[in-house]
Amino acid sequence: GEDVEQSLFLSVREGDSSVINCTYTDSSSTYLYWYKQEPGAGLQLLTYIFSNMDMKQDQRLTVLLNKKDKHLSLRIADTQTGDSAIYFCADDDTDKLIFGTGTRLQVFP
Amino acid sequence: SQTIHQWPATLVQPVGSPLSLECTVEGTSNPNLYWYRQAAGRGLQLLFYSVGIGQISSEVPQNLSASRPQDRQFILSSKKLLLSDSGFYLCALVGDREYYEQYFGPGTRLTVT
């Protein structure tokens, strides 16, 4: 079956850039997504990228997509303590999304 | 705008007891609805999804079941809870099937003792 994988943890200093990586197996995805989950809450969509794009920028967020390697990344510029959360990448399948395992981002002063 | 309600917010149940978690949505019609479970420190596990009333797809065989008696209501049930059923249960919807943004509810934290 389809699979989406992420590293489990990332720790960065406040003000630095964070890069969260994701690999996926489904070559027929139309969109790929990044979701954010704050403690004790549901997930919120951060951004998404259409599969025929290789980059999307949205304020402090930059999404890079390498379709050949099936690699997706999320870069957060000037990371703040409020960015501490779990970040999930996801790709679309018929009628549902396939989520990665989530990367816990910890931002320290 | 779309809103998802889940209740209860927290629940503590003994092993072997029944379970019923309810999810209702507003601000959309004919959505796809989803039940996920998130165990402590783990990723999301898709349990069930529904593309319409009475239509349920099960992703993981286990002692849970789901029903969709109305367009905007999705229910997760169990006849006998196991310790391994503990977790954070999230309901989600997709209203726009073009780009499949999922909206998540606030979740129910279930502890089975």
Side-chain angles (χ1 to χ4, degrees):
Chain A
E2 296 166 34
D3 196 20
V4 178
E5 293 194 355
Q6 302 176 238
S7 53
L8 292 180
F9 298 102
L10 177 65
S11 183
V12 300
R13 189 180 300 276
E14 191 174 14
D16 288 351
S17 293
S18 308
V19 180
I20 303 171
N21 294 302
C22 171
T23 57
Y24 60 97
T25 58
D26 181 16
S27 57
S28 63
S29 299
T30 305
Y31 292 96
L32 294 122
Y33 308 82
W34 283 104
Y35 281 81
K36 177 182 180 182
Q37 184 183 31
E38 299 192 356
L43 280 69
Q44 286 187 300
L45 179 68
L46 269 181
T47 187
Y48 65 94
I49 187 168
F50 190 46
S51 59
N52 70 354
M53 297 170 64
D54 51 20
M55 187 181 89
K56 179 179 179 181
Q57 187 140 10
D58 184 0
Q59 299 181 342
R60 292 192 296 124
L61 306 178
T62 304
V63 179
L64 296 178
L65 175 60
N66 181 328
K67 280 196 78 172
K68 176 175 169 289
D69 294 338
K70 297 180 185 171
H71 182 267
L72 182 73
S73 68
L74 174 70
R75 179 177 180 270
I76 306 173
D78 188 25
T79 311
Q80 302 298 308
T81 54
D83 294 324
S84 294
I86 302 175
Y87 291 80
F88 292 89
C89 66
D91 79 69
D92 58 19
D93 187 14
T94 307
D95 292 328
K96 59 184 186 281
L97 296 182
I98 308 297
F99 283 89
T101 49
T103 299
R104 184 179 295 274
L105 173 64
Q106 182 181 19
V107 182
F108 59 93
Chain B
S1 64
Q2 297 161 97
T3 308
I4 303 176
H5 302 281
Q6 287 187 246
W7 60 88
T10 59
L11 190 59
V12 180
Q13 292 282 101
V15 167
S17 63
L19 173 74
S20 180
L21 299 182
E22 189 163 345
C23 170
T24 58
V25 304
E26 296 175 355
T28 184
S29 59
N30 192 30
N32 285 6
L33 295 174
Y34 303 81
W35 276 114
Y36 291 89
R37 178 170 63 200
Q38 189 176 28
R42 305 282 295 277
L44 287 178
Q45 180 184 33
L46 178 62
L47 301 175
F48 301 94
Y49 68 95
S50 170
V51 300
I53 296 174
Q55 300 178 63
I56 307 293
S57 296
S58 173
E59 289 291 298
V60 184
Q62 53 202 330
N63 68 319
L64 299 172
S65 61
S67 62
R68 186 170 177 176
Q70 300 178 48
D71 182 46
R72 299 173 194 177
Q73 185 184 30
F74 202 24
I75 297 172
L76 182 69
S77 304
S78 173
K79 292 181 180 176
K80 285 186 178 182
L81 283 169
L82 307 172
L83 283 174
S84 58
D85 291 324
S86 292
F88 191 45
Y89 287 80
L90 289 162
C91 179
L93 73 84
V94 166
D96 181 345
R97 292 179 178 80
E98 180 182 351
Y99 72 95
Y100 254 82
E101 177 177 356
Q102 285 199 2
Y103 292 89
F104 283 80
T108 294
R109 186 161 300 282
L110 171 66
T111 303
V112 182
T113 59

